Every structure is written in structure tokens, then in C-alpha cells.
């Protein structure tokens, strides 16, 4: 089992939910630009990902953990034939 499997990723309408053990992270992607022809399905602003959801909202997400979260999100999107872009 790879380290990415410690993250459970759920794609919902309007949000991406990531779980690791008892902690949860809700990512709200930005809508694609209206005039973009080749826009990804999800645009995620990295500056919005700083801490876990409450009650763990005081726990900062470290850079290495963030990288694993992003990879897990990419893999889940690929599984569903969706694209994601991180800005």
C-alpha cells in the first residue's frame, strides 16, 4: 500500500473532501473561467489549503503532507476521468 492510500478522497458537487484518519479537509475548487475552452474540471487554489477542518483547524498542513494530498486528489480525479489544476 502506498502512502497515498492513507488519504480517502471523495469528489462531490462543489467540493473535494480528503480524509486522513480522524482529520478531514474540504477543498472548494474555483469555477473555470467562462471563456476558457480547455478548462480543467477543478481549479484548486493552494493558498486556500492551510489547515484541516474543525475540530482540527488549528493543525497546519505541512508541505510534504500537502504534496501527498494533491497527488491523492489527482489520482481520484484521473480515476473518474476528470482533470484538476492547482494554482
Amino acid at each position: 500500500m502506498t502512502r497515498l492510500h492513507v488519504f480517502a478522497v471523495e469528489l462531490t458537487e462543489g467540493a473535494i473532501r480528503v480524509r486522513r484518519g480522524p482529520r478531514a479537509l474540504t477543498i472548494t475548487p474555483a469555477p473555470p473561467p467562462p471563456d476558457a475552452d480547455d478548462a480543467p474540471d477543478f481549479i484548486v487554489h493552494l493558498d486556500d489549503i492551510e489547515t484541516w477542518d474543525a475540530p482540527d483547524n488549528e493543525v497546519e498542513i505541512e508541505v510534504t503532507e500537502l504534496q501527498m494530498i494533491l497527488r491523492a486528489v489527482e489520482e481520484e480525479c484521473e480515476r473518474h476521468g476528470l482533470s484538476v489544476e492547482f494554482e
Side-chain angles (χ1 to χ4, degrees):
M1 179 189 311
T2 67
R3 295 178 73 184
L4 296 178
H5 292 288
V6 298
F7 293 95
V9 179
E10 176 187 3
L11 304 175
T12 66
E13 285 193 39
I16 300 169
R17 292 219 172 76
V18 181
R19 295 191 188 286
R20 182 177 192 184
R23 293 185 177 151
L25 170 66
T26 303
I27 301 170
T28 306
D35 58 345
D37 292 332
D38 223 8
D41 296 298
F42 298 107
I43 298 174
V44 175
H45 294 285
L46 297 177
D47 291 342
D48 294 342
I49 305 172
E50 296 179 359
T51 62
W52 292 96
D53 294 348
D56 298 304
N57 55 328
E58 298 295 321
V59 179
E60 213 172 285
I61 297 173
E62 300 294 327
V63 173
T64 54
E65 193 170 40
L66 176 61
Q67 291 170 334
M68 292 189 307
I69 289 169
L70 299 180
R71 185 63 196 137
V73 168
E74 283 179 327
E75 285 184 359
E76 187 65 16
C77 285
E78 287 173 7
R79 259 182 17 87
H80 292 280
L82 300 169
S83 59
V84 62
E85 184 176 293
F86 301 104
E87 297 182 347

